[in-house]
Amino acid sequence: QLSLSHPYKKTAILTHFLKAKAYGNEVSILKAQSSAMLSSFATANCILKLEEGREEWNPGDVVSAFMLP
């Protein structure tokens, strides 16, 4: 689990899996989230899971992260 570095909003009824970059204990969501945007796949070192039932995350909120090899 990592601390989010900036705010994020999504639809409450969906779980989001987002490409992200972890730096120490903090994580930043990458901009290009479309599956066709390969640049973010090359940059990402983790995938975040933002659960359904919540719409907003703020800087400092703890999120689930799956580290990539």
Side-chain angles (χ1 to χ4, degrees), residues 5-60:
S5 65
H6 58 277
Y8 184 77
K9 292 183 181 182
K10 69 168 192 65
T11 306
I13 62 170
L14 299 173
T15 296
H16 280 202
F17 292 91
L18 303 168
K19 296 168 275 193
K21 184 79 172 179
Y23 303 93
N25 293 328
E26 202 167 64
V27 64
S28 295
I29 297 170
L30 299 175
K31 297 215 183 260
Q33 290 298 320
S34 166
S35 61
M37 303 299 272
L38 298 179
S39 63
S40 59
F41 279 112
T43 305
N45 66 359
C46 63
I47 302 291
L48 298 186
K49 181 182 179 184
L50 301 181
E51 298 284 348
E52 65 180 78
R54 185 171 172 185
E55 292 182 351
E56 295 184 25
W57 280 260
N58 296 305

